[in-house]
Amino acid sequence: MTTTELDQTEDIAAIHAVVAAVAKAQRAEDADAFLALFHPDAIWTTGGGKFLNGLNEISEFTRAVLPGATKDGYATYEPFFVRFIRPDVAAVKVRQQYFNHDGELQAQGSPLYGMTKEDGRWLLTFCQNTPVADH
């Protein structure tokens, strides 16, 4: 294994850990843990199409919608594709599934997380939530 492949393996593991932290924070309705995953200048487009510019707007939105978000169910997040744009920039596709408390699938999403590596840490920097339409 080359040094580059080893670096990518470590980076992929770190990126997967960020996605797992998103899931954990969402399930716990922990806004602070969720917001700690973002770059200060991040942008986010919600599944409903609302554009959030910067951590302040993302924080305001998150603190309004996250409390109580799991009352009807929960979501799972599974990264299934990582493409390095540069060694410190990655496009990450995530399979998002929403289940009710009986474990029945209710909806799906297909977020794209644009992540950047800052001081050795991967952060959510430009993200787009996309609901998957029923076919």
Side-chain angles (χ1 to χ4, degrees):
M1 184 177 291
T2 67
T3 303
T4 301
E5 289 170 332
L6 179 61
D7 290 347
Q8 284 187 327
T9 300
E10 291 173 3
D11 283 328
I12 289 169
I15 287 166
H16 280 242
V18 171
V19 176
V22 167
K24 182 178 179 183
Q26 294 275 337
R27 266 196 147 156
E29 298 182 9
D30 186 342
D32 291 332
F34 180 71
L35 295 166
L37 302 170
F38 284 87
H39 187 282
D41 294 324
I43 59 173
W44 185 279
T45 302
T46 70
K50 182 177 177 81
F51 174 67
L52 305 171
N53 184 13
L55 192 53
N56 287 339
E57 287 185 17
I58 294 168
S59 177
E60 184 178 326
F61 177 82
T62 298
R63 292 183 191 287
V65 302
L66 193 54
T70 61
K71 70 179 173 25
D72 295 324
Y74 60 93
T76 61
Y77 300 78
E78 176 192 357
F80 66 90
F81 179 86
V82 176
R83 171 160 296 148
F84 290 95
I85 310 304
R86 299 186 329 209
D88 61 342
V89 179
V92 182
K93 282 300 293 176
V94 176
R95 184 173 295 107
Q96 187 179 48
Q97 295 183 304
Y98 299 94
F99 296 90
N100 66 21
H101 290 298
D102 292 329
E104 298 166 332
L105 182 63
Q106 301 297 299
Q108 297 183 67
S110 181
L112 173 64
Y113 294 165
M115 299 178 69
T116 56
K117 191 173 185 181
E118 307 285 334
D119 298 321
R121 184 171 170 238
W122 285 97
L123 297 171
L124 300 168
T125 305
F126 48 98
C127 304
Q128 170 84 39
N129 272 2
T130 304
V132 175
D134 291 333
H135 298 283

